Amino acid sequence: MSKELQIRDATVADAAEITALLESLGYPDTEPFISQRIQTQLSHPDARLLVAEQQGQLCAVLSLHFIPQLALAGDFCRISYFCIGDGLRGQGIGALLEVRATELARARGCDRIEVHCHSRRTDAHRFYARQGYTESPKYLMKSVR
């Protein structure tokens, strides 16, 4: 698997494939703004947008944000979007991307990675548990629109 898989920084040229991945994750209609959102992430000093390619086909996307902390010695790395293409889950692609995220988090001085994963995504919960994540209950959200 790892010989066939290439993990790299995303580019705006990946917009169509990232749109398709996000749609499979339940985020339809990103096409009108995805190129701008990719560019914003690529130019942000506290963000990283990674993709995985297998045999020349984009098969996964991982969006990371590094969040400085005030009252803790280490910062946080937050996974904001993580999607493996339909039919490719369970092949180790996600584990390799998560290892890369851990490397990047350590390099940035983070002492933890956090992810919000909707309660309906039970397969993803099992994946994160295998990767060493534990539940930290109570996630609160307020819409500002």
Side-chain angles (χ1 to χ4, degrees):
M1 166 66 66
S2 62
K3 291 181 183 179
E4 299 174 8
L5 192 74
Q6 177 191 7
I7 297 172
R8 63 171 174 80
D9 288 309
T11 69
V12 174
D14 298 318
E17 291 97 335
I18 291 172
T19 295
L21 287 165
L22 291 173
E23 189 167 323
S24 76
L25 196 60
Y27 296 95
D29 306 320
T30 62
E31 192 275 328
F33 57 83
I34 196 70
S35 292
Q36 180 58 46
R37 301 291 13 185
I38 292 170
Q39 187 57 54
T40 298
Q41 277 208 247
L42 295 177
S43 62
H44 196 288
D46 292 324
R48 239 3 232 282
L49 185 60
L50 302 175
V51 293
E53 287 181 327
Q54 191 174 42
Q55 299 175 337
Q57 295 281 85
L58 197 132
C59 61
V61 63
L62 174 61
S63 175
L64 302 171
H65 294 83
F66 303 99
I67 307 166
Q69 297 299 301
L70 180 62
L72 300 172
D75 293 337
F76 291 2
C77 175
R78 177 173 248 281
I79 296 172
S80 55
Y81 297 91
F82 193 4
C83 183
I84 312 303
D86 288 336
L88 297 171
R89 295 178 189 121
Q91 297 181 20
I93 297 167
L96 290 172
L97 271 167
E98 197 281 332
V99 165
R100 182 70 178 126
T102 300
E103 293 168 352
L104 292 169
R106 284 187 182 123
R108 288 287 302 251
C110 298
D111 65 7
R112 71 194 73 194
I113 299 174
E114 64 179 20
V115 60
H116 174 255
C117 188
H118 196 281
S119 59
R120 74 176 176 273
R121 300 189 193 285
T122 56
D123 289 341
H125 300 165
R126 286 190 291 277
F127 165 79
Y128 287 117
R130 285 191 306 272
Q131 297 304 115
Y133 289 73
T134 57
E135 189 170 352
S136 179
K138 204 109 189 201
Y139 178 86
L140 304 172
M141 180 180 82
K142 175 183 175 179
S143 178
V144 295
R145 290 195 147 207

